Structures are given as C-alpha cells and as structure tokens.
C-alpha cells in the first residue's frame, strides 16, 4: 500500500501541514525540514521514480533555451525534447526557446521571456562570465537548471547532460590515426566555436592524442567558423587548395554541410579522411555516399530524454547536484547506420 502524507509526517517527526507544503513546493518550510520530508518520502517510496531518479510529486513546467538556427542536430534535439515531454504526465508544459545566436546577449534576451510558472530550465550556452551570471540568477530565483551538450561547470546547475567531449575529441584523433595507417602529413580542423566548452574540449582531446600517438600527423589549419556552413565551406576549400595532399579533416561542431560541399566541389586527388559529429539526415547521407568516414554521435534522443528526467529529478531533490553520468557516444560507420 502506498505511503500517505500522514506516514511521511510520522516518519520525519513533522506536521502533515509542513509535509504538504514541501511536497507541493509551497513556501513556509525551512531548508532543513524540506530535506527531512523529501528524505522520508523517498525512503517510504512516496515519490515516483524513473531510471532511479526521484521525480516530483506534481507536474512541473519546463523550458529549454537552444541555439537551433540551421543546426540539424539542435533541431533534432528540440523535437525529441518536445516529443518525450509530451508523453510524461509529470510535465505540465514544455517550451522551447530558439536562441538568436550563441552570445550571452541572445540568452539574456530569451530568458526575459521565461514563464513565471517555470520550475526547471535546460540550456545550451557558451561558457562566459555573463552567461554564468545569467544562470546563477535563474537558480537564485528558485529555478532548477541543467546544462546540455556543452557544460558550464562554474554555473550552479544541478546536472550536465551530454557526452564527455574531451573523450570524444580523443576518440576522433585515434580513429584518424588508425584510418591513415602510419602516413605522415597534414590535417585540417573546422571548429564550431571555442566559446562552447564542449568544442574546446574536443579540440584539446584531439590534439592530445595526435601528440601522444601520431606525431607524424600535424594540424596545419584550425579555423573557427561559429557553426556557419558557408564559413566551413570557405575554410575547407582554402585548406584543400593550400594542402593538395591533405590527409584528413576533423569537423568539431556544426558546419558539416560546408565541409561536404567543399569536398564535392574540389574533387581532391585522394579524398581526405573526414570525421564529424552527430547523426542527422545529412550525415547519414555523407556516410552512405562515402563523403564521411565516421560520425561520432552524441545521441540527440537520449540527451533529450535524460535532460527532461534530470530536470524533474532536480526539482524533486533537495540536493543541489545530481550524480554525474555521461551519455555514451556512438561510433557510426557506413555499415552500421541505425534505422531512423
């Protein structure tokens, strides 16, 4: 038989009125009493759980701030968030804000439209002092926060949902070196934006493994393109012109379509090994058409589901941080492209 409010009150030695205030997230209970009530409710199995994460006792209002733009991965992520949230009774509403760029100013402008009902916020943002201040103010206002895809560790977020980006970059370098089989020559990097901690970590991981295990492979160009396909196209065309025997291209973030377009137009004597991130409709096609050699996928569906679960868990928990658990990246080749 399910525990009742009276059972929780007896277990933690508080009144049923205090227990009711805590469970329904109303003011009037101290932080210490909130912790006692939630711990008792958890022990008695009163609070619902999903994947071992304790969930809130009543539906929550969630909002996500994503720089979607023309980024296919971001669009897929937004769609998966909306779809998953719509199927959960504990999500009263879920709203996606499409940020007008990646700058802190774009985030600030969007946050001003945050609903007064919002209980939790998920965000993809650059790691910048202004960004950290915006996120800090949200948490101080009583809103729970999770970061997605690229972390902002100095912000008081309850959880980060995404892959270990440094490991992803190291994996890209290991694959590049193995594909090239001991050859000596130059590589090009197309970096989305180093303002994203995740992109910076991928680049660091990539360079580290090259130095450690493949010293005969050197990065001759590393261009920051701010996730603009036209900029990645121009950078790739230039790299192919400057280095006719370019051995490989690593696309750290978005801008994949620009790299693919340049490879198709330039028709190099020998196609460089092309490694990129995120399985989308376009990268599926690149794999099948032998433009891309491997896609390191961070799994938009799983990130979407975990971000919703982690937000709900942070709303239910009295702890400021949830247990850290990375999403495992998938290596997608031509022969194992999953069914959509």
């Amino acid at each position: 038989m399910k525990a009742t409010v009276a059972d929780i009150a007896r277990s933690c030695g508080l009144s049923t009125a205090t227990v009711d205030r805590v469970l329904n997230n109303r003011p009037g209970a101290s932080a210490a009493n909130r912790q006692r009530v939630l711990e008792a409710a958890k022990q008695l199995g009163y609070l619902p759980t999903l994947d071992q994460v304790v969930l809130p006792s009543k539906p929550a209002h969630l909002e996500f701030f994503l720089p979607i733009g023309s980024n296919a991965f971001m669009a897929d992520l937004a769609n998966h968030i909306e779809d998953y949230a719509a199927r959960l009774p504990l999500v009263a509403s879920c709203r996606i804000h499409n940020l007008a760029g990646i700058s802190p100013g774009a985030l600030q402008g969007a946050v001003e439209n945050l609903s007064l009902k919002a209980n939790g916020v998920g965000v993809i943002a650059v790691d910048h002092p202004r960004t950290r201040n915006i996120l800090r103010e949200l948490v101080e206002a009583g809103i729970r926060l999770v970061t997605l895809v690229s972390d902002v560790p100095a912000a008081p977020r309850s959880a980060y949902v995404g892959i270990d980006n440094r490991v992803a970059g190291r994996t890209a370098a290991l694959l590049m070196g193995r594909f090239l089989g001991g050859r000596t020559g130059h590589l090009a990097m197309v970096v989305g934006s180093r303002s994203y901690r995740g992109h910076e970590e991928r680049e660091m991981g990539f360079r580290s493994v090259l130095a450690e295990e493949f010293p005969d492979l050197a990065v001759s160009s590393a261009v920051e393109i701010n996730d603009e396909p036209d900029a990645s196209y121009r950078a790739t065309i230039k790299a192919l012109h400057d280095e006719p025997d370019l051995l490989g291209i690593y696309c750290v973030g978005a801008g994949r379509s620009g790299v693919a377009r340049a490879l198709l137009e330039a028709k190099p004597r020998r196609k460089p090994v092309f490694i990129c991130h995120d399985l989308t409709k376009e990268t599926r096609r690149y794999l099948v058409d032998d433009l891309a050699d491997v896609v390191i996928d961070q799994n938009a569906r799983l990130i979407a589901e975990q971000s919703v679960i982690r937000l709900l868990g942070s709303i239910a928990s009295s702890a400021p941080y949830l247990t850290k658990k990375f999403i495992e990246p998938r290596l997608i080749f031509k022969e194992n492209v999953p069914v959509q």
Side-chain angles (χ1 to χ4, degrees):
M1 188 171 66
K2 185 177 179 179
T4 65
V5 169
D7 293 330
I8 297 170
R10 280 193 296 272
S11 177
C12 63
L14 297 170
S15 69
T16 55
T18 298
V19 171
D20 183 73
R21 280 194 291 270
V22 172
L23 294 178
N24 290 287
N25 202 26
R26 291 198 296 266
S30 67
N33 283 346
R34 283 182 179 278
Q35 175 135 359
R36 289 168 64 187
V37 169
L38 291 173
E39 185 61 31
K42 179 180 178 181
Q43 293 297 328
L44 292 171
Y46 180 87
L47 297 176
T49 63
L50 185 61
D51 292 344
Q52 304 304 309
V53 176
V54 176
L55 301 179
S57 58
K58 70 175 187 176
H61 298 272
L62 309 181
E63 304 201 16
F64 291 84
F65 295 86
L66 312 177
I68 300 171
S70 60
N71 189 319
F73 168 77
M74 295 290 187
D76 287 348
L77 179 62
N79 290 335
H80 285 304
I81 289 172
E82 289 182 320
D83 177 67
Y84 187 66
R87 293 186 276 116
L88 287 185
L90 279 174
V91 178
S93 67
C94 180
R95 183 183 177 196
I96 306 289
H97 299 261
N98 186 357
L99 298 178
I102 66 173
S103 69
L107 179 61
Q108 182 68 69
V111 165
E112 290 174 0
N113 295 315
L114 183 70
S115 169
L116 294 176
K117 294 180 179 179
N119 306 112
V121 162
V123 63
I124 297 177
V126 297
D127 193 354
H128 185 277
R130 283 188 62 196
T131 301
R132 295 193 289 270
N133 189 59
I134 294 166
L135 300 181
R136 190 177 302 113
E137 289 178 348
L138 282 175
V139 174
E140 288 173 352
I143 295 171
R144 289 293 193 163
L145 171 73
V146 299
T147 54
L148 286 66
V149 178
S150 183
D151 199 8
V152 186
R157 81 284 191 271
S158 297
Y160 161 67
V161 181
I163 63 173
D164 184 328
N165 284 293
R166 186 174 175 85
V167 168
R170 292 180 64 87
T171 302
L174 183 64
L175 289 166
M176 184 71 76
R178 296 282 175 85
F179 275 131
L180 291 173
R183 295 170 65 191
T184 298
H186 292 148
L187 310 174
M189 291 183 67
V190 177
V191 183
S193 173
R194 294 186 180 95
S195 298
Y196 280 125
R197 187 181 184 90
H199 289 188
E200 184 181 46
E201 289 173 341
R202 289 178 190 176
E203 181 179 2
M204 290 167 57
F206 187 81
R207 289 181 182 275
S208 293
V209 168
L210 288 185
E212 294 164 10
E213 300 193 33
F214 306 102
D216 291 331
L217 297 176
V219 177
S220 58
S221 68
V223 180
E224 192 171 8
I225 53 94
N226 291 314
D227 283 349
E228 291 293 335
D230 287 344
S232 67
Y233 165 77
R234 292 191 297 271
T236 305
I237 285 290
K238 184 177 187 306
L240 292 170
H241 178 269
D242 294 345
E243 300 278 352
D245 296 317
L246 189 71
L247 295 182
I249 301 172
Y250 175 39
C251 185
V252 172
R256 300 166 290 262
S257 61
V259 176
R261 179 179 150 206
L263 288 172
L264 285 171
E265 288 187 12
K267 295 183 174 60
R269 290 193 299 269
R270 181 169 182 172
K271 185 191 79 68
V273 173
F274 176 29
I275 298 175
C276 61
H277 289 265
D278 303 326
L279 190 66
T280 65
K281 286 183 179 179
E282 62 181 15
T283 55
R284 287 170 183 270
R285 189 171 67 252
Y286 301 158
L287 286 168
V288 171
D289 292 344
D290 290 322
L291 272 177
D293 294 273
V294 61
V295 171
I296 302 173
D297 182 47
Q298 52 190 329
N299 201 328
R301 180 191 58 77
L302 188 55
I303 289 178
E305 293 178 359
Q306 284 297 312
S307 65
V308 172
I309 292 170
R310 292 270 158 170
L311 262 185
L312 292 173
S314 67
I315 292 167
S317 175
S318 59
Y321 304 109
L322 301 181
T323 303
K324 191 172 186 178
K325 183 180 180 182
F326 289 118
I327 300 291
E328 292 294 332
R330 303 183 295 177
L331 300 182
I332 310 297
F333 300 89
K334 178 179 179 179
E335 295 295 339
N336 71 329
V337 178
V339 177
Q340 285 181 288

